Structure formats: C-alpha cells, structure tokens
C-alpha cells in the first residue's frame, strides 16, 4: 500500500506543475479489518496537513502544502485500491465498515475516544463544523 499527497499552487493545476510526495509502502494485511484514521487540511500556503494512522500506528505525517489552488471547485480525497505492480492482474475489492467523516477546524474538538464512541453507535456518521480540518476514520479490507 502506498500513500501519496499532492499539491499545486498554480491557478491551472496539471501533471506538469503538481508536486507528489510518496510515503513508505506498507504491507496490506489481507483477510482482516484494518483501522485507518486520516486527518487532513487542504492549504496551498504552507499550512496543509495530512496525517494517517493504520491500526493505531502513524504512517504519514505530511505538513506543508496540500491540495490544489482551484477556487470555485470542491476538493476531494480519493480512496481506493490501485494495483501498480506489473504482472499482478487480478482485481481486488476494498470494503469499508463504518466510514466516519468529521470536520474539526482546530483538530481538537474530536478526540480518538469520541470518534470511537461514534463508531460503536453503528452506521455512518457525519458531524462537525462547516470548515477546516477534516478527519476520516475508516476500516476496510
């Protein structure tokens, strides 16, 4: 598994002017649920943030630019399984269990225990304010 962050400060972002950071590859433990917590803040003035935890262990701590300078367009996070290994042609499916999106501008409103209590209530939840840092907690195989 590889996690990437991307950004471009150009008013016309394209592959020729975006910057990609690749983080250490992680083995995917197939056949069991994995818990991911992804905390991010889009910002192209050096105040961006992307932090990722897998099963409680932080595997990414990106601080700096994150996202694209595209006023008027909604930004998004892309989540999926993309097989880049040559010779490996069989498809894989990713299932999500209890995906939870939380908006928390300061990063301090929702503690890990508060998010766990949302998850133990069952189902998909959305909570928080209308702007700022977003935290996505998901579990899948």
């Amino acid at each position: 598994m590889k996690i990437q962050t991307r950004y471009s400060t150009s008013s016309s972002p394209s592959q020729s002017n975006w910057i990609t950071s690749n983080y250490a590859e992680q083995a995917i433990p197939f056949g069991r649920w994995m818990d991911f917590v992804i905390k991010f803040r889009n910002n192209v003035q050096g105040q961006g943030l992307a932090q990722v935890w897998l099963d409680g262990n932080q595997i990414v701590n990106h601080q700096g630019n994150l996202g694209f300078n595209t006023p008027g367009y909604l930004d998004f996070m892309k989540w999926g399984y993309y097989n880049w290994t040559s010779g490996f042609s069989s498809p894989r499916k990713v299932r999500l269990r209890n995906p939870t999106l939380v908006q928390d501008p300061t990063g301090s409103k929702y503690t890990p225990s508060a998010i766990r209590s949302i998850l133990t209530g069952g189902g998909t939840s959305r909570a928080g304010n209308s702007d700022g840092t977003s935290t996505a907690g998901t579990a899948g195989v």
Side-chain angles (χ1 to χ4, degrees):
M1 173 178 69
K2 182 189 331 182
I3 296 176
Q4 298 179 331
T5 59
R6 280 198 181 127
Y7 75 89
S8 174
T9 57
S10 170
S11 59
S12 298
S14 68
Q15 287 183 342
S16 66
N17 61 30
W18 72 38
I19 306 294
T20 300
S21 295
N22 291 296
Y23 294 89
E25 290 189 22
Q26 305 288 320
I28 297 174
F30 286 98
R32 71 170 184 86
W33 290 106
M34 298 172 291
D35 292 324
F36 289 91
V37 173
I38 303 163
K39 185 175 184 177
F40 65 97
R41 177 179 54 240
N42 287 337
N43 183 288
V44 292
Q45 285 88 40
Q47 299 299 310
L49 172 75
Q51 296 176 321
V52 180
W53 290 264
L54 170 59
D55 291 334
N57 298 309
Q58 190 171 21
I59 59 174
V60 172
N61 186 13
H62 172 88
Q63 297 184 27
N65 290 327
L66 183 67
F68 299 97
N69 184 17
T70 52
Y73 291 90
L74 296 176
D75 292 319
F76 64 93
M77 184 171 105
K78 189 173 184 179
W79 178 270
Y81 183 92
Y82 303 90
N83 190 351
W84 292 322
T85 306
S86 64
F88 188 73
S89 61
S90 63
R92 298 285 187 233
K93 293 182 180 179
V94 175
R95 294 187 304 164
L96 301 179
R97 177 184 64 182
N98 292 335
T100 304
L101 302 176
V102 179
Q103 291 182 331
D104 183 1
T106 65
S108 61
K109 182 174 181 180
Y110 291 97
T111 63
S113 62
I115 291 174
R116 274 192 295 279
S117 71
I118 292 169
L119 291 173
T120 58
T124 301
S125 303
R126 294 176 188 266
N129 298 316
S130 61
D131 61 349
T133 302
S134 298
T135 302
T138 63
V141 287

